[in-house]
């Protein structure tokens, strides 16, 4: 019954190189497993693609998509191809092309849209186009240029044709220029906007600043209570954890309502201070509907996002390490500074990048309690979406915001990797 | 709620301990007081957003259910509650189903592939909501889903699903896959095994993920603002208008109801979490 | 005895790079208790998983009771399995765990209850029927797992290190109980363990695995007495190893030179020709200290390095025979250790039938 193998048989049974058919068979099994797992993930990927990836992709595409003038004034643009504003007024062909383009746009009702698009760069262009449309019969083949200038003398300035040509690219970076407070002069060079009109860069800077400040305040507030929660006996820690989690689970609108009740001029805090005589009736503090309000409410809303990751890191710190440090002669403060704190740094990174990223996208809080000077970049995006209807600019600002978030996220992953 | 102080601590350490305790107390107050304060304010008999002198002296006439009556009799609020509930339930069902199934698949993918798919699935959590809402507005308008409850439900399901994926994956990380094999070796088919073995084991993750998806939808206002028509307003949308347009204590009453609701949901979620933890810890030691 | 399970030409790789099971051919007879024994990572679990249907062989086929299994899903195979950490359903009571396979098979309620009761009685857990698995001790959980794998009366039961998580006493008791149940039910068992004493005490046959290959498959006694190669000799029990070269072959024996001028007679197991290098294997308990003339075939001199007291026996490490200490194991009878003091020169010897010339063990 015994069947020992000789060394020679063993050597035959363990080939050095894997036969190709075995390798293929193993691949096939692996592919089948990956495939059946992927089939389970697929429905959610479809939902995310349908309700997130595709819409966001299309939105971002709007930041370079620029069909209105290219499709609305095609003949004008062809005639302007080799023209530059430095050459003075364009040729008669351009004016005749413009005439035919305007006629066509009037016929299919797109003149208003074209005017609105030109108006984004050149205020007044919409009414100019409408007015010209009404008097187009006066333009003849004889001297179209003079006829146009008679209708409106702005047709006698090269700038309007420069604006048409700048807006005429099928794809454009002009929205990004605008989002970065840059513009083109009539010669087509990129220049900075005049001092008073540089609102986007300031808004980006303000958003970064508010986010950094909020993350820092959250750090100051989160560290002590995360420490307390991580070191209390489980029963009491669980009870206090509810205090941290309840705001987290409560509607943001509810929390904002509460803060308005607390902080407004006739609110609880001001009433209390006034009745205690700390401030006079005239000296009520402006705690809300300004930057202060954005930061106070933002901190309250984002604090749990800092506490939770920090707490889970603190839970993993071996308490014997601090004991070892003190047994080696370190004072409690030194033990904390040299041993405990460095071990919790990953939690601080996680908490601050989370708070920072969430804060850069904040919309509701600044919109409701930010007043004039507490608005952030999301609010201006919503403004261009809903009020000014400059969707290309909204899309360009959105892209820049996403890039900014991507950079922060990338830096965070780098930091985490360097920690290890 | 305070940490024990070592009996060998010197005076400086004792002083620091007192300061630290006071600091923690203040931070907890900062977290919880804003929520607590609206509860009494919502019973204000006057149309004020602050405590009246009469309220402070606790005179009974200063308190009333006036704003709750207002809340319950106003047809706009009633419609808002109906819409909110409908959308949240629909979104939760979709998010929980798709999220749970996806987590089961993710758990079986190779780590490298799983990591990249996870980035894709979790990205809705960190992309600014305004961008999502604007994008949905264009896309859903183009395909005829704007101003429909279906569109809202799909959008909210997309926002809630990442929470389900993460909580279910966390539960699955402690799951013994041999249980599934054992069920198969005992003759159970895949569906029976899922119902009787896998689902009970991951139920805590599914439920807490579902609760998260539910409150995510219940709390969402920006997408609603971009996508919903006037008669599709939800409770947060209604509160938004309340805050923006006319500050009436009715929204304090609504806020109080929502706080109570989130408190109950939170207690429920915590109960599930602790039962799960206790079940894991109570393995017999011999 | 008819063959119940046939594994033919099985190979398995998970990653397409490394073969975890290499060219496995194995027959398991009806009613047999076969143990797969081998170090961790040698591919034992993989073989069980392929039998149960949780992994597919990369090549080869599995036939059970004349039926090809390769395309049959696990739940259709009707093979009982006891998992290493029991895999008891935590959300079901003991009785519900036992009833699970019967419910799946849609047994009538009365018969189901009856079978569960009998099964509980068999593993002496009747009072624990309504407990959750987490409220049972390790040994009790083990018995539930066993009962659950047997309750639907499979012809074949697979057990993957079922006693691995138990402490020593409990393990020995459970070994006995599993043997009893096997004898009573006559079920075929394929049992996996890395514990050699478990394999030797329980099995009809043992297959020793290493590196995805069955090194030897035979009854336990033969495994110890006649290891087929130096891996088996080293893995089952202790042995002393001496390297040497075959000088002469005499029928079933051979003469091996272990040092210049020192030649010993050994049984020829893994060598075939003169001048082949070989490893000699000698069990420590077969070595005699200061043997009488004619008591042994081989006598060699050595020096005592150290003596260890083990209660029931005494071990001595000797110097001067190869690079590693040569171990001698003596029963602790009166005066056994008298000559054994560190530094003393002693003569030792053994019968040539206790000295096996095996293949050269690669270091
Ligand atoms: N699911 C798997 N995927 C990839 N490799 C595996 C898998 N299961 C086992 N292996 C590898 O196959 C080899 C044999 O494993 P196994 O059959 O579990 O051995 P044993 O049960 O004898 O300890 C090991 O090297 C192990 O790492
Ligand atoms: Mg194993």
């Amino acid at each position: 019954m015994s069947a020992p193998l000789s060394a020679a048989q063993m050597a035959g049974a363990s080939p050095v190189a894997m036969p190709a058919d075995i390798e293929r068979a193993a691949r096939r099994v692996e592919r089948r497993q990956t495939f059946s797992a992927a089939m389970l993930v697929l429905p959610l990927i479809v939902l995310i693609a349908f309700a997130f990836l595709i819409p966001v992709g299309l939105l971002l595409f709007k930041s370079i998509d620029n069909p209105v003038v290219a499709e609305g004034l095609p003949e004008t643009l062809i005639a302007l191809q080799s023209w530059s504003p430095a050459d003075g007024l364009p040729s008669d062909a351009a004016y005749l092309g413009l005439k035919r383009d305007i006629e066509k746009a009037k016929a299919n009702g797109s003149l208003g849209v074209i005017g609105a698009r030109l108006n984004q760069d050149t205020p007044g262009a919409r009414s100019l186009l409408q007015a010209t449309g009404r008097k187009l019969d006066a333009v003849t083949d004889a001297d179209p240029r003079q006829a146009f200038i008679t209708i409106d003398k702005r047709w006698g300035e090269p700038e309007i044709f420069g604006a048409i040509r700048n807006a005429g690219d099928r794809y454009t970076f002009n929205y990004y220029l605008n989002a970065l407070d840059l513009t083109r002069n009539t010669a087509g060079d990129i220049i900075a906007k005049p001092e008073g009109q540089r609102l986007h860069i300031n808004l980006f800077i303000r958003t970064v600043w508010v986010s950094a400040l909020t993350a820092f305040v959250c750090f100051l507030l989160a560290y002590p209570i995360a420490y307390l929660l991580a070191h209390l006996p489980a029963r009491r820690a669980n009870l206090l954890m509810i205090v941290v989690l309840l705001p987290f689970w409560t509607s943001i609108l509810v929390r904002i309502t509460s803060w308005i009740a607390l902080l407004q001029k006739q609110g609880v805090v001001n009433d209390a201070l006034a009745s205690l005589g700390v401030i006079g009736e005239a000296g009520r503090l402006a705690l809300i509907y300004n930057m202060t309000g954005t930061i106070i409410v933002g901190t309250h809303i984002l604090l749990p996002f800092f506490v939770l990751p920090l707490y889970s890191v603190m839970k993993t710190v071996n308490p014997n390490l601090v004991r070892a440090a003190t047994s080696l002669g370190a004072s409690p403060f030194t033990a904390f500074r040299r041993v405990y704190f460095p071990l919790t740094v990953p939690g601080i990174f996680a908490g601050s990048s989370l708070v920072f990223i969430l804060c850069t996208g904040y919309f509701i809080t600044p919109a409701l309690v930010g007043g004039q000077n507490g608005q952030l970049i999301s609010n201006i995006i919503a403004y261009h979406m809903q009020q000014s209807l400059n969707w290309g600019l909204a899309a360009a600002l959105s892209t820049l915001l996403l890039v900014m978030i991507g950079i922060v996220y990338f830096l965070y992953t780098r930091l985490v990797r360097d920690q290890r | 709620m305070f940490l024990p102080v070592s009996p060998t601590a010197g005076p400086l350490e004792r002083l620091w301990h007192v300061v630290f305790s006071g600091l923690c107390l203040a931070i907890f107050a900062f977290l919880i007081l804003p929520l607590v304060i609206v509860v009494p304010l919502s019973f204000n008999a006057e149309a004020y957003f602050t405590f009246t002198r009469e309220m402070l002296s606790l005179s009974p006439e200063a308190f009333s259910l006036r704003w709750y009556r207002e809340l319950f009799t106003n047809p706009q609020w009633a419609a808002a509650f109906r819409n909110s509930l409908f959308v949240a339930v629909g979104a939760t069902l979709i998010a929980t189903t798709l999220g749970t199934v996806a987590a089961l698949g993710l758990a079986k993918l190779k780590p490298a592939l799983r990591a990249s798919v996870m980035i894709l699935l979790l990205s809705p959590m960190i992309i600014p909501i305004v961008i999502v809402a604007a994008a949905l507005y264009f896309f859903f308008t183009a395909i005829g889903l704007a101003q429909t409850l279906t569109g809202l439900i799909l959008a909210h399901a997309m926002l809630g699903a990442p929470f389900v994926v993460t909580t279910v994956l966390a539960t699955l990380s402690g799951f013994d896959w041999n249980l599934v094999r054992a069920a198969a070796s005992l003759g159970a088919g895949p569906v029976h095994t899922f119902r009787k073995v896998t689902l009970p084991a991951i139920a805590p993750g599914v439920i807490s993920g579902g609760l998260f998806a539910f409150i995510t939808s219940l709390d969402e206002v920006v997408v609603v603002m971009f996508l919903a028509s006037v008669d599709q307003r939800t409770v947060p949308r209604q509160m938004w208008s309340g805050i923006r347009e006319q500050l009436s204590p009715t929204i304090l009453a609504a806020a109080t109801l929502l706080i109570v609701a989130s408190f109950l949901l939170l207690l429920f979620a915590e109960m599930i979490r602790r039962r799960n933890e206790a079940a894991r810890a109570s393995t017999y030691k011999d | 005895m008819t063959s119940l399970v046939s594994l033919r030409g099985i190979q398995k790789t998970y990653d397409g790079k490394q073969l975890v099971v290499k060219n496995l051919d194995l027959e398991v007879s009806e009613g047999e208790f076969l143990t797969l024994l081998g170090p961790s990572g040698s591919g034992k679990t993989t073989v069980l998983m392929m039998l149960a249907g949780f992994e597919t062989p990369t090549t080869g086929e599995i036939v059970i009771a004349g039926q090809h299994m390769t395309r049959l899903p696990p739940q259709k195979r009707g093979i009982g399995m006891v998992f290493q950490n029991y895999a008891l359903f935590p959300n079901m009571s003991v009785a519900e765990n036992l009833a699970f396979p019967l419910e799946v098979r849609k047994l009538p309620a009365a018969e189901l209850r009856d079978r569960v009761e009998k099964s509980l009685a068999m593993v002496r857990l009747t009072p624990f029927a309504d407990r959750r698995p987490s409220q049972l001790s390790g040994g009790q959980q083990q018995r539930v797992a066993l009962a659950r794998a047997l309750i639907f009366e499979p012809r074949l039961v697979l057990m993957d290190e079922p006693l691995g998580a138990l402490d020593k006493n409990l393990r020995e008791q459970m070994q006995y109980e599993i043997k009893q149940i096997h004898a009573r039910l006559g079920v075929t068992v394929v049992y996996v363990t890395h514990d050699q004493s478990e394999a030797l005490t329980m099995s009809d046959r043992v297959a020793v695995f290493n590196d995805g290959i069955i090194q030897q498959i035979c009854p336990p006694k033969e495994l110890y007495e006649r290891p087929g190669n130096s891996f088996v000799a080293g893995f089952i029990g202790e042995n002393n190893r001496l390297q040497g070269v075959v000088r002469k072959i005499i029928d079933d024996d051979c003469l091996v030179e272990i040092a210049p001028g020192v030649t010993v007679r050994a049984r020829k197991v893994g060598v075939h020709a003169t001048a082949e290098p070989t490893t000699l294997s000698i069990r420590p308990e077969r070595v005699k200290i200061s043997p009488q003339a004619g008591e042994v075939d081989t006598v060699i001199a050595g020096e005592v390095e150290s003596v260890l007291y083990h209660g029931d026996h005494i071990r001595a490490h000797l110097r001067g025979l190869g690079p590693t200490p040569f171990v001698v194991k003596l029963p602790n009878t009166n005066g056994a250790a008298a000559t054994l003091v560190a530094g003393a020169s002693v003569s030792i010897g053994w019968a040539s039938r206790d000295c096996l010339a095996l293949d050269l063990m690669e270091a």
Side-chain angles (χ1 to χ4, degrees):
Chain A
M1 268 203 63
S2 144
L5 278 167
S6 74
Q9 278 172 307
M10 275 174 61
S14 59
V16 180
M18 182 80 48
D21 56 333
I22 292 190
E23 217 175 308
R24 261 200 308 279
R27 266 316 121 57
R28 199 159 49 228
V29 170
E30 195 183 306
R31 260 203 310 273
R32 203 161 48 225
Q33 280 164 355
T34 306
F35 178 76
S36 61
M39 286 315 287
L40 294 177
V41 189
L42 191 66
L44 183 56
I45 293 185
V46 169
L47 173 68
I48 301 243
F50 178 76
F52 178 72
L53 293 177
I54 295 174
V56 169
L58 290 175
L59 173 71
L60 299 189
F61 178 64
K62 278 191 196 297
S63 66
I64 54 164
D65 193 28
N66 187 33
V68 173
V69 175
E71 284 162 12
L73 305 175
E75 298 197 33
T76 321
L77 288 169
I78 289 172
L80 288 178
Q81 230 160 27
S82 56
W83 169 85
S84 105
D87 307 340
L89 286 176
S91 65
D92 282 357
Y95 284 94
L96 283 174
L98 185 61
K99 179 191 174 201
R100 281 192 294 275
D101 284 339
I102 294 178
E103 273 170 350
K104 221 179 298 159
K106 251 174 72 180
N108 63 24
S110 65
L111 193 60
V113 181
I114 300 168
R117 170 65 189 83
L118 288 175
N119 222 41
Q120 283 171 10
D121 306 332
T122 315
R126 190 206 321 245
S127 52
L128 170 64
L129 227 53
Q130 296 286 4
T132 311
R134 283 193 294 273
K135 301 175 192 160
L136 215 52
D137 293 339
V139 182
T140 58
D141 288 358
D143 190 355
R145 183 186 301 176
Q146 196 47 54
F148 264 91
I149 294 173
T150 316
I151 292 172
D152 193 307
K153 64 176 187 311
R154 271 175 290 179
W155 292 119
E157 295 158 8
E159 281 79 7
I160 183 71
F161 288 96
I164 289 178
R165 213 195 45 180
N166 281 347
D169 294 332
R170 181 67 185 77
Y171 298 101
T172 177
F173 283 107
N174 285 357
Y175 294 122
Y176 284 99
L177 295 182
N178 193 350
L180 292 168
D181 292 339
L182 302 170
T183 187
R184 280 182 212 271
N185 60 17
T186 38
D189 304 321
I190 295 171
I191 52 163
K193 278 191 183 171
E195 199 76 51
Q197 293 178 25
R198 293 183 199 160
L199 34 112
H200 297 136
I201 294 284
N202 285 341
L203 215 50
F204 271 109
I205 292 172
R206 185 197 282 172
T207 303
V208 169
W209 188 78
V210 167
S211 303
L213 184 63
T214 307
F216 183 68
V217 175
C218 280
F219 159 66
L220 291 182
L221 299 185
Y223 206 91
I225 60 174
Y227 184 90
L228 187 73
L229 288 170
H231 292 84
L232 277 179
R235 279 183 88 83
R236 266 181 290 168
N238 276 334
L239 210 66
L240 278 181
M241 195 49 125
I242 291 189
V243 176
V244 177
L245 289 176
L246 184 58
F248 196 57
W249 280 70
T250 306
S251 165
I252 289 185
L253 273 300
V254 169
R255 285 181 274 172
I256 290 175
T257 311
S258 319
W259 278 110
I260 292 174
L262 277 171
L263 297 181
Q264 65 175 332
K265 278 263 165 70
Q266 306 300 325
V268 176
V269 170
N270 269 317
D271 277 1
L273 290 178
S275 66
L276 289 174
V278 181
I279 52 170
E281 274 306 318
R284 284 178 174 256
L285 304 172
L287 297 170
I288 204 162
Y289 303 125
N290 53 21
M291 182 69 97
T292 317
T294 297
I295 289 172
I296 293 180
V297 180
T299 303
H300 183 247
I301 288 170
L302 292 168
L303 186 52
F305 289 97
F306 209 123
V307 174
L308 295 177
L310 189 55
Y311 166 79
S312 59
V313 168
M314 283 178 172
K315 272 301 227 195
T316 64
V317 175
N318 183 349
N320 278 342
L321 293 174
V322 171
R323 291 190 192 125
T326 30
S327 83
L328 294 169
S331 71
F333 175 71
T334 310
F336 174 82
R337 190 174 56 88
R338 296 285 304 279
V339 178
Y340 190 84
F341 185 81
L343 289 170
T344 58
V345 165
I348 298 174
F349 282 162
S352 38
S353 40
L354 190 60
V355 168
F356 186 90
I357 286 176
L358 290 176
C359 198
T360 50
Y362 249 50
F363 168 71
I364 303 171
T365 313
L368 291 178
V369 304
Q372 272 302 312
N373 70 357
Q375 302 291 304
L376 300 183
I377 197 75
S378 277
N379 304 98
I380 199 80
I381 292 176
Y383 167 79
H384 287 304
M385 277 296 304
Q386 295 181 305
Q387 260 118 69
S388 84
L389 302 184
N390 190 345
W391 295 333
L393 180 57
L397 289 168
S398 298
T399 315
L400 292 176
L401 178 57
L402 285 184
V403 167
M404 194 168 88
I405 288 174
I407 290 172
V408 174
Y409 183 74
F410 176 74
L411 289 178
Y412 165 68
T413 52
R414 285 296 289 269
L415 267 179
V416 170
R417 208 180 50 199
D418 293 348
Q419 275 280 304
R420 289 205 210 102
Chain B
M1 72 169 258
F2 303 117
L3 290 172
V5 60
S6 144
T8 61
L12 207 62
E13 213 174 311
R14 279 168 200 278
L15 179 66
W16 165 244
H17 181 255
V18 172
V19 172
F20 178 78
S21 302
L23 196 65
C24 287
L25 210 60
I27 300 169
F28 279 119
F30 169 74
L31 273 170
I32 202 75
L33 273 186
L35 297 182
V36 174
I37 211 97
V38 287
V39 178
L41 280 180
S42 70
F43 294 101
N44 202 336
E46 306 296 326
Y48 292 133
F49 240 56
T50 183
F51 292 105
T52 55
R53 204 164 291 284
E54 294 74 35
M55 284 180 99
L56 291 175
S57 60
L58 292 181
S59 84
E61 306 88 74
F63 296 90
S64 84
L65 291 173
R66 174 179 169 193
W67 307 111
Y68 288 88
R69 250 192 318 273
E70 166 80 25
L71 186 68
F72 288 122
T73 51
N74 182 328
Q76 271 189 19
W77 278 102
F81 275 104
R82 248 195 334 272
N83 287 333
S84 266
L85 212 58
F86 183 74
V87 171
V89 168
T92 304
L93 287 180
I94 296 176
T96 312
T97 313
L98 298 194
T100 304
V101 172
L104 285 169
L106 281 172
K108 294 202 171 155
L109 281 182
K110 289 236 176 60
L113 187 57
R114 176 167 61 219
S116 18
V117 176
M118 284 289 279
I119 291 180
L120 185 83
L121 294 186
L122 301 189
S123 50
M125 293 214 278
I126 60 164
I127 306 290
I129 189 70
V130 163
I131 297 182
V132 177
L136 282 171
Y137 168 75
F138 286 121
F139 186 60
F140 280 8
T141 304
I143 62 173
L145 275 177
Q147 312 216 330
T148 67
L149 287 179
T150 317
L152 267 189
I153 288 176
L154 287 176
H156 282 186
M158 176 275 295
L159 291 173
F163 295 109
V164 182
V165 171
T166 39
T167 54
V168 176
L169 261 186
T171 333
L172 276 175
S173 74
F175 181 64
D176 179 7
W177 288 97
N178 268 347
L179 292 177
V180 172
R181 292 174 163 166
S185 85
L186 297 170
V191 176
H192 193 76
T193 304
F194 179 76
R195 248 168 19 98
K196 287 295 177 82
V197 177
T198 318
L199 190 56
I202 61 173
V206 176
I207 295 174
S208 44
L211 286 177
F212 243 94
F214 188 75
I215 60 161
T216 302
S217 168
L218 218 52
D219 190 16
E220 207 293 318
V221 66
V222 184
V223 172
V224 173
M225 226 149 49
F226 276 79
L227 281 188
S229 66
V230 175
D231 51 5
Q232 287 163 351
R233 286 187 164 195
T234 58
V235 172
R237 181 68 184 83
Q238 191 70 16
M239 291 186 76
W240 176 285
S241 315
I243 295 172
R244 267 278 165 105
E245 288 143 29
Q246 85 291 5
L247 264 178
S248 125
T250 319
I251 62 174
L252 292 178
T256 303
L257 290 184
L258 288 182
I259 289 172
V260 172
S262 18
F263 188 62
L264 293 179
L265 286 178
L266 168 62
L267 286 188
F268 182 49
E270 275 291 287
M271 200 181 71
I272 302 253
R273 190 182 63 79
R274 285 197 206 154
R275 277 236 319 250
N276 185 35
E277 238 166 44
R280 279 188 188 188
S282 81
T283 349
Y284 187 100
K285 307 273 191 312
D286 53 348
Chain C
M1 275 200 293
T2 57
S3 166
L4 178 69
V5 180
S6 305
L7 299 168
R8 294 178 197 147
I10 300 285
Q11 310 205 63
K12 174 69 184 176
T13 166
Y14 287 104
D15 50 10
K17 294 189 190 73
Q18 190 204 348
L19 277 180
V20 171
V21 173
K22 301 168 189 165
N23 260 346
L24 179 75
D25 288 298
L26 183 64
E27 301 283 326
V28 187
S29 310
E30 184 96 55
E32 183 178 18
F33 196 114
L34 174 76
T35 297
L36 312 184
L37 173 68
S40 177
S42 58
K44 310 178 300 286
T45 298
T46 304
V47 172
L48 278 204
M49 289 298 164
M50 289 191 289
L51 272 172
F54 301 122
E55 295 289 347
T56 39
T58 312
T59 67
E61 59 177 357
I62 299 173
V63 178
I64 298 179
Q67 198 185 355
H68 284 266
M69 289 284 141
T70 321
R71 294 266 160 258
L72 209 60
Q75 65 269 23
K76 302 257 169 68
R77 295 194 180 192
I79 298 175
M81 179 139 187
V82 180
F83 292 84
Q84 181 162 12
N85 291 315
Y86 317 134
L88 298 177
F89 304 130
N91 53 320
M92 304 181 196
S93 70
V94 169
E96 284 165 346
N97 263 282
L98 294 181
F100 185 88
L102 306 180
E103 274 165 8
V104 169
R105 289 173 173 74
K106 306 213 162 40
L107 246 67
E111 193 187 341
L112 186 146
R113 227 173 303 122
D114 191 47
R115 288 262 283 272
V116 169
E117 261 164 41
K118 280 206 185 106
S119 177
L120 282 168
M122 178 182 79
V123 291
R124 293 179 286 112
L125 285 175
T126 311
F128 300 95
D130 295 324
R131 291 233 192 144
R132 289 288 164 99
S134 59
Q135 299 167 312
L136 299 179
S137 72
Q140 289 165 339
Q141 292 183 23
Q142 217 292 318
R143 294 212 293 270
V144 178
L146 190 63
R148 191 180 66 176
L150 291 166
I151 196 168
F152 59 101
E153 296 175 352
R155 290 169 79 182
L156 174 63
V157 177
L158 312 176
M159 305 193 193
D160 190 3
E161 312 215 11
L163 308 181
L166 303 183
D167 61 32
K168 190 162 171 295
N169 283 337
L170 207 49
R171 198 156 64 220
E172 280 168 6
Q173 188 198 331
M174 283 308 302
Q175 288 172 7
Y176 177 75
E177 283 190 32
I178 291 175
K179 258 327 262 185
Q180 291 281 305
I181 289 172
H182 171 247
R184 188 138 41 93
L185 302 181
V187 62
T188 309
V189 177
V190 178
Y191 190 97
V192 162
T193 182
H194 63 261
D195 177 340
Q196 45 159 310
S197 82
E198 196 166 295
L200 296 181
T201 52
M202 298 181 76
S203 326
D204 297 325
R205 277 196 307 160
V206 179
V208 179
F209 263 70
N210 189 36
D211 198 19
I213 293 173
I214 296 186
Q215 305 285 334
Q216 186 170 0
I217 176 165
C218 60
K221 183 156 184 283
E222 202 175 327
L223 205 58
Y224 190 76
E225 303 288 342
R226 272 190 67 90
N229 59 35
S230 50
F231 174 80
V232 176
F235 192 70
I236 311 286
E238 264 187 298
N239 71 347
N240 290 299
R241 288 183 185 162
L242 300 172
Q243 308 289 341
V245 178
V246 178
R247 287 296 171 221
K248 193 167 177 204
I249 292 190
I250 313 160
D251 302 329
D252 280 347
D253 284 3
C254 57
L255 292 181
V256 176
E257 186 177 358
I258 55 170
V262 185
T263 305
V264 299
R265 188 172 174 128
R267 240 171 35 186
K268 181 182 76 136
V269 177
V271 293
H272 308 91
T274 53
E276 242 182 73
T278 177
T279 304
L280 295 182
S281 159
I282 305 126
R283 301 277 183 205
E285 74 277 11
R286 302 282 163 93
V287 178
K288 293 265 187 310
I289 297 272
S290 314
Q292 314 277 304
E295 195 186 0
V296 295
D297 304 316
T298 305
V299 178
I300 292 185
E303 187 193 334
V304 179
E305 187 177 280
S306 61
V307 180
L308 296 175
Y309 181 76
H310 278 260
D312 62 335
H313 70 271
I314 288 161
R315 293 162 67 88
H317 287 188
L318 307 186
R319 237 197 312 261
L321 294 138
T324 52
F326 192 92
V327 181
V328 178
K329 200 167 149 188
L330 300 176
N332 188 5
T333 50
N334 279 341
T339 53
L340 290 178
V341 278
S345 295
V346 290
S347 66
I348 57 168
W350 55 78
S352 58
R353 63 166 191 285
D354 288 332
C355 178
L356 309 179
L358 304 172
D359 54 305
L360 185 71
M361 178 79 179
E362 62 266 33

